[in-house]
Amino acid sequence: MARLDAGTAARLARGGGRYLADLRVPGCLEAAFVRSPLPHARVGAARFHDGRGLTAADLGLHPLVATGPGLAGAPWIPLGGGRARYVGEPLAVVWAADRYQAEDLVDAAQLELEPLPPDEPLHSQAPTGVLFETTLEGGDVDAALRAADLVLEGRFHCARQTPFPLETRGVLAHPDPGTGVLTVWTSTQIPDLVRAGLARCLGLPEARLRVRVPQVGGGFGVKAHLFAEEVAVAALALRLGQPVRWIEDRQEHLAASAHAHDAVVRLRVGVTREGRILGVDADLTADVGAYSIWPFSASLEPMTAASSLFGAYAVGALRCRTRARSSARCPVGAQRGVGVTVGVHATERMVDRIARRLSIDPLELRRRNAVPACPWTSPIGRALDSGDYPRLLATLAAAAGYDALRAEQHRARAAGRLLGVGLALFNEHSGTGTQDYRRRGIDTIPGWDQSRVRVPADGRIEVATSAADAGQGHADTYRLLAAEVLGVAPERVEVVEGDTDRCPPGTGTFTSRGAVGVLESLVQALRAAAATDLAPGTDIVRRADAEQVYPSGAHLAVVEVDPVGWRPRVLRYVAVEDCGTIIHPEVVAGQVRGGVAMGIGNVLLEEHAYDADGQIQTATLLDYLVPLATDIPEVELHHLTSPSPRTTLGSKGVGEAGTIGAFGAVANAVADAVAPLGAELDTLPYSPQRIFAAVERARAGLPPARPGQ
Amino acid sequence: MKPAPVAYRRPESLDEALADLAELGDRARPLAGGQSLVPLLALRLAQPEVLVGLERVAELRGADLDGDRLEIRAMTREAELERSAALPPLLGAALGHVGHFQIRSRGTVGGSLAHMDPAAEWPALALLLDATLTVASARRGRRRLPAASFILGPLTTALEPDELLEAVTMARPDGRFGFAEVERRSGDFALVGAGCHRGRVVVFAAGPRPQRLPGVEAFLRDGGAPGPELQRRAHAEIEARDDLHASAAYRRQVGARLVDQVVAAAS
Ligand SMILES: Cc1cc2nc3c(=O)[nH]c(=O)nc-3n(C[C@H](O)[C@H](O)[C@H](O)COP(=O)(O)OP(=O)(O)OC[C@H]3O[C@@H](n4cnc5c(N)ncnc54)[C@H](O)[C@@H]3O)c2cc1C
């Protein structure tokens, strides 16, 4: 396949990107938000300087409800609708000529807030605070545990985190009094869903809204939701008949965009003496914060986490009771790898614990339990389309020099060093389609995607999809593909995304859809176009509804923990990926490297904290620690290629695998480093403080700390 | 994250700067490198009416690093010191831990001392090296304070609102020394740190202010050496606090180990 030069990456690295904050619209006003200082309160009268402020009631905003099996039906309410449900929640919008003055208006705003008791339910639809509940079950778990020689237990907690794209959120709404159409520029991964949600919140027909996405500086899941600020800015622009914009600052991003994780997984695993895993009984509770977020709902994190447990292993029986609980904290939404990171952390830590207990090498234990061959269907119905798990392990062992590493570790330990080697074997589901969403009970997401190939009179070839690039480099990938399929020069191809007027509607960009459903529709549209003479006027649209596919991987990390200050450092990282057919090698490598970097931060550094009064403690970068370049080693990347039979090209998506693997490999490596001290780690992030506390508990002969300690 | 309205003055001399502060009192804040003050303004945690920029005050610039007694004037940027061949190795070792080079190219020695973050390196160095701080005001003239009386607590010093820190002076720190800290990422404020020079031992980032360990120092004077007993004494002596990133227990344990390390390095 032809290669593009590194033009896009170089341009972006040099600051040549044009993002939402770079849009110049004359006369554009600047909005800012009055945010709740209290975790739970009733909102009374509001007074604004010069009358320049509006609440949900003033703007007449409607709530949205994601319904489906297991969901309590609690609404998502833009600007709270008279209630504040977490610290930082936007309750009113103000506007001025610039952001400085807008923040002065925020300071001057007077909102009467009547604090509500902490035990008062946040939503009347969920009096006990349970927003979602279900049980996944397949095989006879109780019989499997009875038949086991040994039942091991574990409890694992993933911290609350934020996806943290370099570009924060932002929205610019621009009414056109002539046509009556409101153009909403927004930094989003889901333009069509934003339009659908906006239309309902504002009570407008979708035809009156055009959603456009400028260049996006990273999404990682957080930009795959509809946000109150988008709704409020759109409503305000309509009200004032003037363009209005809001650019999120970092403090707003940390406190009030969408968080992720905050899930506790309890496992009981039945094994034979030889280390065969017979059955898994799991219980998972995710704290999803103040709302059932739209469009994914409160089921997102608990469902993906539960269904990914032991996903790469041939386990005969599995049950997971899972639920989402509300709390007066920032709502939880999607983050790269969504719940799979939570599931893989628990699974991989548990597999290592089993290995240690049975004195079997962790690699060998994984060999004994890995899914032997694909296709393979798990007891809970995950139908793995492709992949070769034994070969992933063999490739990883050879690439990393596994035996030599263990020998080195042996010598290091004898010399008093805390050196750990950690493994992860995993898969993930990507490209979720209509049936998958309906089965999971999510009715807000279409699941299908579309692409359109058009030849305008000037002879350009315009390729438009329902995805929205968030910095992954779709345009590069799609342009290459189009050039190849159509047999034209890449320069002739223009890729269009993120414009509800120019692109066919669909689902958007998340769960690595860009290489699955979106790509499928694109391939079909391109092939249909290739069969024509590409004459001006050609206009072909294809729709594809992806079947879930399962990229897989095996990762290894080497971590050394400083025995004085307990600081862990990743010394080496080896990743073997199987994302099926590779369409653009540089894009794939970039996704894996960036994903691993994010995973390292998630495992070692990142954690949101709230104090006993519900105040967020981590709203600045002094306290919310993201990884720096010095925290990330070179990622040694190797590929296996098992094409998916479910996509035409055989690609499976690669946006999230790097992060998911790190949740297993890095976590296990830290735990392995301090295992000789008897320390047990189970609560992310594995910070110096947690390592210290685990070592101290082991010294004192105490059981491992409960999550949260 | 935008500052509230604030006026800006830029005096051209020390007298002019002191006159501004005498006139405005606590309605004004001096602005040095801005690396601590500007974030506080942006978060609206500090809302002075007037910023008095010290950038043009020539009397506050520069450092004499050549003699037996060092004088570093308040507006000397950390990056300027780092570039100086005469910089004593102990100061160089500590400076490398102050943020990142971007921070050090704006941040000033006086700003760091006046800000008195409990985890900052400069207040710890001042205490360790028994530095003298010269402060000046239009009304009371000059005062010279030993570091131990200048440093009061977290974000609190002996400076009055109308006073400026002019310079810090100290005997040239020659000879063996130890300086070590643990940070979560390179460039972060320390979780805990320690320094040792000529029998003086200081721990910082553990408690509300950098702390000398007189018990450990006495132990060393009596011929004590690094090892479990020294660590035990340090552990008992370190004043530590809990925060988001580490517990008091962590800070005592790791602080005691760092004390052991820096004492060993200095002896
Ligand atoms: C990302 C980041 C990381 C950092 N990491 C570290 C670190 O690891 N270690 C560390 O020590 N510091 C660290 N800092 C803080 C940095 O060193 C600050 O620059 C320094 O503490 C303050 O110096 P400044 O010149 O910027 O002062 P400013 O921010 O301008 O002022 C700080 C305070 O001192 C007052 N002030 C300034 N000069 C005078 C004077 N001459 N007389 C009286 N009052 C005065 C000001 O009014 C203000 O209250 C970090 C900062 C950042 C942004």
Side-chain angles (χ1 to χ4, degrees):
Chain A
M1 180 177 284
R3 278 196 172 188
L4 288 183
D5 62 2
T8 311
R11 186 167 54 78
L12 295 179
R14 292 196 188 102
R18 288 295 167 264
Y19 302 97
L20 195 120
D22 297 315
L23 297 174
R24 291 284 167 266
V25 175
C28 188
L29 296 167
E30 195 93 33
F33 288 88
V34 182
R35 294 176 181 276
S36 178
L38 296 176
H40 193 191
R42 194 169 286 120
V43 183
R47 279 211 309 280
F48 302 98
H49 176 74
D50 208 13
R52 273 184 290 160
L54 295 165
T55 63
D58 299 332
L59 290 166
L61 305 179
H62 303 290
L64 296 174
V65 189
T67 53
L71 284 165
W76 174 82
I77 312 169
L79 301 190
R83 276 263 202 127
R85 292 178 181 80
Y86 64 98
V87 168
E89 177 169 17
L91 301 175
V93 61
V94 301
W95 64 93
D98 66 34
R99 176 69 181 242
Y100 290 83
Q101 294 172 38
E103 290 195 18
D104 296 344
L105 291 177
V106 169
D107 271 3
Q110 289 178 318
L111 231 55
E112 266 173 35
L113 293 178
E114 178 200 332
L116 291 168
D119 53 356
E120 169 100 14
L122 292 172
H123 299 280
S124 59
Q125 298 82 353
T128 61
V130 175
L131 296 182
F132 169 75
E133 192 162 30
T134 198
T135 299
L136 301 180
E137 186 160 11
D140 190 338
V141 175
D142 298 317
L145 295 193
R146 274 196 306 275
D149 294 321
L150 208 62
V151 176
L152 295 182
E153 301 193 0
R155 178 172 155 142
F156 303 95
H157 188 182
C158 282
R160 210 166 233 277
Q161 303 179 319
T162 308
F164 203 85
L166 280 184
E167 186 211 16
T168 55
R169 296 180 290 137
V171 54
L172 189 161
H174 191 181
D176 180 343
T179 59
V181 170
L182 179 72
T183 299
V184 180
W185 287 90
T186 181
S187 185
T188 189
Q189 299 167 241
I190 51 166
D192 292 305
L193 283 163
V194 165
R195 182 169 69 159
L198 275 180
R200 282 156 63 189
C201 289
L202 301 172
L204 284 179
E206 285 191 28
R208 295 262 317 273
L209 293 166
R210 176 181 186 184
V211 172
R212 303 190 66 182
V213 185
Q215 196 155 26
V216 172
F220 310 116
V222 72
K223 293 179 184 170
H225 311 103
L226 178 67
F227 286 101
E229 292 90 346
E230 290 171 316
V231 178
V233 166
L236 183 60
L238 286 175
R239 171 73 66 101
L240 301 175
Q242 255 180 286
V244 182
R245 76 165 194 174
W246 167 76
I247 309 291
E248 183 183 47
D249 70 28
R250 195 53 78 181
Q251 203 182 9
E252 293 177 304
H253 186 75
L254 288 170
S257 53
H259 290 170
H261 314 315
D262 204 349
V264 178
V265 185
R266 285 197 191 76
L267 295 176
R268 291 173 63 232
V269 181
V271 290
T272 67
R273 251 173 235 104
E274 299 72 45
R276 286 279 311 148
I277 300 171
L278 301 181
V280 176
D281 190 11
D283 182 281
L284 194 153
T285 301
D287 178 337
V288 298
Y291 289 105
S292 182
I293 203 163
W294 199 88
F296 293 114
S297 88
S299 72
L300 178 71
E301 190 93 35
M303 267 306 267
T304 38
S307 60
S308 65
L309 287 169
F310 288 81
Y313 298 100
V315 174
L318 189 145
R319 173 171 57 221
C320 186
R321 298 186 185 87
T322 181
R323 65 198 67 76
R325 281 189 179 284
S326 66
S327 69
R329 298 175 174 198
C330 178
V332 162
Q335 173 168 355
R336 202 177 204 169
V338 194
V340 185
T341 46
V342 172
V344 165
H345 173 251
T347 301
E348 291 302 300
R349 290 290 300 112
M350 196 67 203
V351 168
D352 263 27
R353 207 175 269 189
I354 295 166
R356 173 162 286 273
R357 175 67 188 273
L358 298 175
S359 299
I360 299 173
D361 179 87
L363 178 65
E364 177 54 30
L365 191 83
R366 284 177 174 79
R367 278 194 195 113
R368 290 183 196 172
N369 289 287
V371 166
C374 289
W376 192 84
T377 301
S378 83
I380 56 166
R382 291 170 99 229
L384 306 188
D385 54 316
S386 59
D388 186 340
Y389 294 84
R391 229 175 100 218
L392 280 172
L393 289 171
T395 309
L396 182 69
Y402 184 74
D403 296 335
L405 262 181
R406 287 290 181 198
E408 183 190 331
Q409 178 184 34
H410 194 73
R411 288 191 299 275
R413 281 181 173 168
R417 287 168 60 199
L418 301 175
L419 191 70
V421 178
L423 295 170
L425 180 68
F426 63 92
N427 58 29
E428 56 164 324
H429 56 272
S430 68
T432 311
T434 310
Q435 287 316 313
D436 300 305
Y437 281 117
R438 298 306 166 268
R439 218 180 23 248
R440 270 162 52 184
I442 297 181
D443 64 358
T444 35
I445 300 168
W448 43 265
D449 297 282
Q450 298 194 87
S451 291
R452 174 177 187 178
V453 178
R454 216 169 64 85
V455 184
D458 60 12
R460 272 180 310 117
I461 296 170
E462 191 185 280
V463 171
T465 80
S466 58
D469 189 284
Q472 300 96 328
H474 284 173
D476 285 2
T477 307
Y478 295 165
R479 184 178 301 118
L480 267 185
L481 188 72
E484 186 173 273
V485 176
L486 302 177
V488 301
E491 298 73 43
R492 227 184 117 188
V493 179
E494 187 199 352
V495 178
V496 182
E497 288 190 330
D499 184 341
T500 55
D501 266 18
R502 288 175 77 196
C503 301
T507 302
T509 309
F510 49 89
T511 57
S512 300
R513 312 184 65 83
V516 189
V518 176
L519 187 72
E520 197 56 33
S521 66
L522 178 61
V523 168
Q524 287 168 19
L526 288 171
R527 289 192 175 175
T532 73
D533 55 3
L534 293 177
T538 304
D539 188 353
I540 292 167
V541 180
R542 287 291 180 274
R543 166 173 162 152
D545 189 357
E547 248 186 292
Q548 236 159 29
V549 297
Y550 293 86
S552 53
H555 289 193
L556 178 147
V558 180
V559 166
E560 180 151 19
V561 173
D562 157 27
V564 173
W566 308 115
R567 173 175 162 179
R569 276 176 216 257
V570 184
L571 303 183
R572 201 176 155 207
Y573 202 96
V574 187
V576 182
E577 288 299 335
D578 186 347
C579 61
T581 307
I582 293 172
I583 301 157
H584 193 310
E586 284 89 353
V587 169
V588 167
Q591 285 294 317
V592 177
R593 281 195 199 109
V596 169
M598 187 174 263
I600 288 174
N602 292 162
V603 171
L604 300 184
L605 293 163
E606 296 178 44
E607 177 172 29
H608 277 304
Y610 284 82
D611 70 10
D613 300 325
Q615 295 291 332
I616 185 161
Q617 304 293 291
T618 41
T620 75
L621 293 177
L622 198 60
D623 290 316
Y624 189 83
L625 306 183
V626 295
L628 306 177
T630 42
D631 298 306
I632 312 299
E634 189 63 42
V635 176
E636 302 166 37
L637 181 57
H638 304 268
H639 294 289
L640 287 191
T641 307
S642 329
S644 173
R646 293 182 190 153
T647 59
T648 308
L649 296 184
S651 61
K652 295 189 279 199
V654 74
E656 316 180 71
T659 309
I660 293 167
F663 266 75
V666 176
N668 275 335
V670 182
D672 188 45
V674 295
L677 304 177
E680 288 273 11
L681 294 169
D682 48 24
T683 299
L684 290 176
Y686 294 176
S687 60
Q689 169 63 35
R690 288 230 170 79
I691 297 172
F692 158 79
V695 172
E696 287 302 293
R697 294 186 82 86
R699 281 208 183 119
L702 295 171
R706 296 287 86 202
Q709 281 184 270
Chain B
M1 262 204 265
K2 302 285 184 210
V6 62
Y8 179 62
R9 292 192 189 173
R10 195 165 56 185
E12 304 277 343
S13 71
L14 184 59
D15 282 345
E16 209 185 307
L18 293 176
D20 283 339
L21 291 182
E23 173 200 336
L24 296 162
D26 55 13
R27 288 155 53 212
R29 280 288 273 279
L31 176 67
Q35 298 301 290
S36 297
L37 184 53
V38 170
L40 290 176
L41 295 173
L43 294 167
R44 301 197 176 203
L45 291 173
Q47 296 204 14
E49 285 171 37
V50 184
L51 287 174
V52 178
L54 302 179
E55 216 151 53
R56 298 226 173 140
V57 179
E59 296 99 314
L60 296 179
R61 314 278 323 217
D64 302 324
L65 300 176
D66 296 317
D68 285 343
R69 211 160 164 79
L70 312 184
E71 180 179 278
I72 304 171
R73 285 177 286 282
M75 284 299 287
T76 308
R77 301 199 192 275
E78 283 149 350
E80 292 170 41
L81 292 179
E82 282 184 302
R83 281 194 294 267
S84 161
L87 186 72
L90 168 51
L91 295 186
L95 268 179
H97 289 288
V98 179
H100 311 271
F101 74 90
Q102 294 94 328
I103 310 292
R104 299 195 293 272
S105 67
R106 296 287 312 166
T108 66
V109 176
S112 178
L113 285 163
H115 189 61
M116 225 326 275
D117 190 302
E121 283 77 11
W122 275 110
L125 284 172
L127 196 61
L128 179 66
L129 302 177
D130 198 15
T132 300
L133 292 98
T134 308
V135 304
S137 75
R139 248 171 268 149
R140 288 181 300 279
R142 281 208 171 78
R143 306 195 276 157
R144 289 197 170 73
L145 301 170
S149 336
F150 179 84
I151 296 166
L152 297 183
L155 309 187
T156 323
T157 68
L159 281 170
E160 298 291 337
D162 66 343
E163 274 180 327
L164 280 178
L165 174 60
E166 214 181 322
V168 54
T169 57
M170 65 196 83
R172 165 175 285 278
D174 282 328
R176 297 178 68 86
F177 68 90
F179 191 92
E181 60 180 67
V182 178
E183 44 200 12
R184 290 195 65 184
R185 304 169 304 181
S186 64
D188 279 349
F189 277 107
L191 293 178
V192 56
C196 177
H197 182 247
R198 288 194 188 133
R200 288 169 75 99
V201 178
V202 163
V203 166
F204 65 99
R209 64 188 97 82
Q211 180 194 2
R212 264 182 82 184
L213 302 184
V216 169
E217 291 177 7
F219 175 71
L220 293 176
R221 273 198 306 275
D222 295 343
E229 178 55 19
L230 181 125
Q231 283 196 35
R232 202 190 55 71
R233 285 174 186 241
H235 193 277
E237 216 173 357
I238 293 172
E239 251 181 73
R241 72 204 148 106
D242 287 310
D243 71 10
L244 210 54
H245 299 291
S247 62
Y250 170 96
R251 290 190 156 97
R252 271 194 296 270
Q253 184 201 74
V254 177
R257 292 161 159 205
L258 292 179
V259 166
D260 198 56
Q261 275 187 2
V262 297
V263 167
S267 47

